Amino acid sequence: MNPTLDSWHRKRLAQLESNAIIGYHPSGPSAAEPTAISALVAIGYDRVEIAKSTCLRLMEAQTVDGKVSVTLDDQGPHWPTALAAIAWHQYSAHYQDEFAGSCVLARDRGIAYLLGCGGEVIPRSKIVGHNSELLGWPWVLGTHSWLEPTALALMALRHAGRQTHPRAIEAAELLLDRQLTTGGANYGNTFVLGQLLRAHVLPSAMSVVALHQVSPAPRELKATIRFLQNELNRPLASTSLTWTISALVSASWESSAGMLEYEWPIGEAIARLERVEPNPHRDHLLLLAMLGKRSPLLAMPAWELNRVSERESA
């Protein structure tokens, strides 16, 4: 690691020690996603007390039926339940202490909530290009299944060892169905009224991460990975960059290459952050990206996916 990145890295890890339960912005309320990211960073860098305090705060925000709201202690939406479940699982996987048992219980309640809800299924139409009858997860209950919440829910199921559940298999089908033929994905459509939609970096990367170590390698992701490789040469915001690096690390999992190729985009993202007001959430995202293969986000078991669509076409 170059000296500038190393210095930033040490300072931000010190910052994590004192500022882990956070929101999206320094002046905003504490939120589930930033706090779950803090937990994963703490686990990845073996800061056990910080990992415990962040996981505990997510537990305190969890309702009796297992869900966690966007803003801690608020009343929804509840898509961050998936990220909280991943954080709880990773704590229990890394630390065999008394608190790990509480994390398993919280994780299982979160998974039960996710399996009990889903997006609205819509009859197929020539107006839109994706299979609207596939069941995934929505941003807000009562609306259609979209790509990013479905990717997060699938990751949570896989972390918890529930990858063979029918909802996990259907979620994988949904993610692959919504990849653009030209590469990448967007919020969860392919074309509307005959117009091919543009790919967006974040959902494209989340698709690849959600299907980490799936075999056989889905052919639909090849063009998406090329799209992400090209986008890495552009300035990317911290969230998109972190997920893109995670996706490309996943795509080259069998390679012995290290993190050297990602130092330039991470350095550029840090330089941009240094020019604006401090934002611990964005800093923590970049700390997560710098873990590479050691990222708890990628600590999912390999999955031999028996795809329904391929069985039907055989």
Side-chain angles (χ1 to χ4, degrees), residues 21-296:
I21 299 170
I22 55 176
Y24 290 100
H25 303 283
S27 59
S30 297
E33 181 182 12
T35 301
I37 294 296
S38 294
L40 292 174
V41 171
I43 293 165
Y45 289 98
D46 198 24
R47 300 313 201 256
V48 60
E49 292 304 320
I50 301 302
K52 184 179 294 186
S53 66
T54 47
C55 285
L56 177 60
R57 185 64 187 90
L58 292 168
M59 283 181 200
E60 292 170 348
Q62 188 179 35
T63 63
V64 174
D65 61 350
K67 59 183 180 285
V68 179
S69 297
V70 170
T71 302
L72 294 174
D73 303 324
D74 204 348
Q75 298 301 312
H78 304 112
W79 59 265
T81 302
L83 279 167
I86 293 170
W88 291 323
H89 174 77
Q90 285 303 314
Y91 186 96
S92 69
H94 280 77
Y95 306 110
Q96 305 303 312
D97 56 15
E98 184 177 350
F99 183 67
S102 298
C103 284
V104 171
L105 293 174
R107 178 204 68 191
D108 289 348
R109 285 196 298 270
I111 294 296
Y113 168 76
L114 291 171
L115 291 175
C117 68
E120 294 295 307
V121 172
I122 301 173
R124 297 200 70 166
S125 166
K126 293 182 179 180
I127 294 175
V128 297
H130 70 273
N131 183 353
S132 56
E133 294 179 344
L134 289 170
L135 177 63
W137 282 267
W139 289 115
V140 179
L141 289 180
T143 62
H144 192 43
S145 301
W146 295 114
L147 191 146
E148 290 168 61
T150 298
L152 290 170
L154 176 56
M155 288 178 222
L157 293 178
R158 293 191 61 198
H159 276 270
R162 303 296 299 274
Q163 62 269 14
T164 60
H165 192 283
R167 290 293 304 278
I169 296 170
E170 190 165 4
E173 296 278 1
L174 186 152
L175 296 182
L176 294 171
D177 174 74
R178 300 196 189 189
Q179 301 302 302
L180 300 169
T181 55
T182 52
N186 53 54
Y187 53 86
N189 210 328
T190 52
F191 67 81
V192 177
L193 295 173
Q195 180 66 47
L196 184 69
L197 300 185
R198 292 183 60 185
H200 299 171
V201 172
L202 183 57
S204 302
M206 292 177 76
S207 299
V208 176
V209 175
L211 295 166
H212 173 54
Q213 283 198 292
V214 162
S215 61
R219 63 188 183 281
E220 294 92 336
L221 291 184
K222 291 181 179 179
T224 295
I225 291 167
R226 289 196 299 270
F227 164 74
L228 291 171
Q229 289 169 334
N230 290 331
E231 290 298 308
L232 194 64
N233 296 315
R234 304 174 186 269
L236 294 176
S238 301
T239 303
S240 293
L241 178 58
T242 295
W243 283 97
T244 296
I245 290 174
S246 299
L248 295 178
V249 167
S250 170
S252 61
W253 196 253
E254 303 303 325
S255 169
S256 60
M259 291 292 291
L260 185 62
E261 65 182 297
Y262 304 118
E263 286 194 1
W264 178 82
I266 290 173
E268 288 295 299
I270 289 170
R272 291 194 299 274
L273 287 177
E274 298 288 292
R275 293 195 291 267
V276 297
E277 66 173 339
N279 190 308
H281 173 51
R282 294 175 184 172
D283 290 336
H284 296 171
L285 283 163
L286 294 178
L287 285 173
L288 187 64
M290 293 170 77
L291 284 166
K293 288 186 177 182
R294 297 182 294 112
S295 171

